[in-house]
Amino acid sequence: MGAGKSIGRNYRIWQRIQTAIEVVYPPRCIGCGEMAASDFGLCGPCWRETPFIGGTVCHSCGAPVPGSDDGHRIDCDDCLRRPQPWAEGRAALLYQGRARSLVLALKHGDRSELAKPAARWMAQAGRTLFRPDTVIAPVPLHWSRLLKRRYNQSALLSLHLGKEAGLPVCPDLLRRKRRTPPLEGKTAAERAETLREAITLHPRRGQVLRGRSVLLVDDVMTSGATLAACSRACQEAGAAHISVLVLARVAKDA
């Protein structure tokens, strides 16, 4: 009985401390900085302006597609014409408007705190991808870019996603052997050629994937060329099943 009273008293003390903290440092919206209902969340207006992907999606790339989900696999026209080397893919947001601002803030604006709520959105969007034998791995940055940015945003997303999904994370499973030029403005074929043999398995991680599932994580998917290069490296390492999950997907008509 005494222990129970002590626990209850400690809990009430902790509640008062939390209340005092919220008075001094009230929760702020991660999008605009205005007051929000909770830490690491969006205010009402920003939530409405953020294009979350819902409804029927392509099973390969996560892009929204017309029609209703009838329980059978659905692939968009692009993925039917050019099948991806992974089995399944999902995305949390469309890369436009408020979502684009959040992604760029995480990627280039030194807003690493955005990775935590972003991973929560990704966990919701990719919940069907989580298998018991899955290891999560980020798309790697070349060391020169990592030195400049100070962190790999995809690795941060992976670490928080691992906590959300209860799955192991291998941040250095893959590596970039060479620094590739920006892919913006290139065709799908040019992107694939630019990334050919640029991404390989880390030499010390040879046994991590053999016979296991891997979930590749990135911030944005455009054509999927980077994720395709990562998928092929995982295939060569003996991965049994490959899926991809991104924070944002470039709209097909963009």
Side-chain angles (χ1 to χ4, degrees), residues 28-218:
R28 296 285 180 178
C29 172
I30 61 174
C32 66
E34 294 297 318
M35 301 283 282
S38 62
D39 287 321
F40 304 110
L42 293 168
C43 66
C46 284
W47 182 271
R48 290 189 292 272
E49 293 172 8
T50 302
F52 288 92
I53 294 176
T56 308
V57 299
C58 171
H59 281 60
S60 291
C61 71
V65 293
S68 58
D69 191 341
D70 58 4
H72 296 284
R73 184 182 178 93
I74 300 173
D75 286 292
C76 67
D77 291 343
D78 284 356
C79 289
L80 286 172
R81 284 193 298 267
R82 189 177 63 254
Q84 304 290 4
W86 60 80
E88 302 168 278
R90 296 292 186 276
L93 309 168
L94 282 176
Y95 188 62
Q96 59 190 33
R98 180 70 66 179
R100 184 175 184 274
S101 299
L102 289 170
V103 172
L104 292 176
L106 170 63
K107 191 169 185 174
H108 299 297
D110 207 23
R111 295 282 307 279
S112 59
E113 78 279 3
L114 297 177
K116 183 176 181 179
R120 205 157 48 228
W121 303 334
M122 293 170 70
Q124 178 65 23
R127 60 191 180 281
T128 60
L129 306 180
F130 303 145
R131 297 170 169 230
D133 66 336
T134 296
V135 59
I136 297 174
V139 167
L141 276 180
H142 189 263
W143 67 266
S144 60
R145 283 204 170 95
L146 184 59
L147 190 65
K148 181 179 180 180
R149 293 187 190 173
R150 297 184 295 117
Y151 62 85
N152 177 358
Q153 70 279 357
S154 298
L156 286 181
L157 291 170
S158 294
L159 292 170
H160 286 291
L161 183 63
K163 294 176 182 177
E164 291 286 335
L167 294 172
V169 180
C170 187
D172 61 347
L173 180 70
L174 301 171
R175 67 172 185 173
R176 274 186 201 253
K177 293 195 302 183
R178 66 175 188 274
R179 178 167 177 164
T180 53
L183 300 178
E184 287 82 358
K186 294 182 181 292
T187 65
E190 290 169 340
R191 288 168 183 257
E193 179 60 28
T194 299
L195 289 161
R196 188 166 60 88
E197 298 183 355
I199 298 175
T200 62
L201 188 76
H202 191 291
R204 295 182 181 178
R205 301 289 178 262
Q207 298 304 313
V208 172
L209 281 186
R210 196 161 301 280
R212 295 184 65 178
S213 299
V214 60
L215 176 60
L216 298 171
V217 171
D218 204 2

